[in-house]
Amino acid sequence: MLLTEEEFKSTFPSDGFVDVTESAENFNAKEFDEYVRNNLIDELGKMHIAYVYDAKDGSYRHVTFITEVKNTHYIVVLDLKKKKILGHFLLDLNKEYGL
């Protein structure tokens, strides 16, 4: 499910995130892979996971995919408390920050 900007921003905790890229345990590999395969658009080319951030309060995880389109990323948001995929957001830094 594509998240609106408001829905995406509501997953940002007040105390911030911690980088768990190197230490994050697999959420649910089969479900996650299926979600990515079925929901992220191929027109952005090859993608790979670049960063994984967990909310310090343990509520959400943001998995950042780098795409072939410069400054354009997919962020898959996981609800860690409910143990489910909340959705994804297309972050276009060119549009967001005028890059």
Side-chain angles (χ1 to χ4, degrees):
M1 172 177 106
L2 182 62
L3 300 172
T4 65
E5 184 174 358
E6 183 177 306
E7 290 169 327
F8 176 64
K9 288 185 175 178
S10 75
T11 66
F12 283 70
S14 58
D15 58 349
F17 286 93
V18 61
D19 184 345
V20 296
T21 304
E22 298 299 321
S23 63
E25 292 186 22
N26 211 339
F27 182 75
N28 178 334
K30 184 177 179 182
E31 180 183 350
F32 185 81
D33 290 346
E34 185 176 309
Y35 181 88
V36 169
R37 196 171 35 258
N38 292 330
N39 291 283
L40 303 188
I41 302 170
D42 317 349
E43 65 193 39
L44 297 179
K46 293 179 184 176
M47 300 180 296
H48 68 277
I49 295 174
Y51 307 104
V52 180
Y53 294 100
D54 281 0
K56 287 183 180 177
D57 66 5
S59 56
Y60 297 102
R61 172 172 290 163
H62 286 191
V63 181
T64 304
F65 284 83
I66 300 296
T67 72
E68 289 183 336
V69 177
K70 187 177 180 178
N71 298 322
T72 303
H73 312 294
Y74 275 116
I75 314 293
V76 177
V77 180
L78 310 175
D79 185 322
L80 295 176
K81 293 185 178 182
K82 293 181 181 176
K83 298 186 186 222
K84 69 175 197 167
I85 298 170
L86 188 63
H88 64 279
F89 183 73
L90 181 60
L91 179 61
D92 183 346
L93 297 173
N94 296 312
K95 178 181 165 189
E96 189 78 22
Y97 298 106
L99 298 178

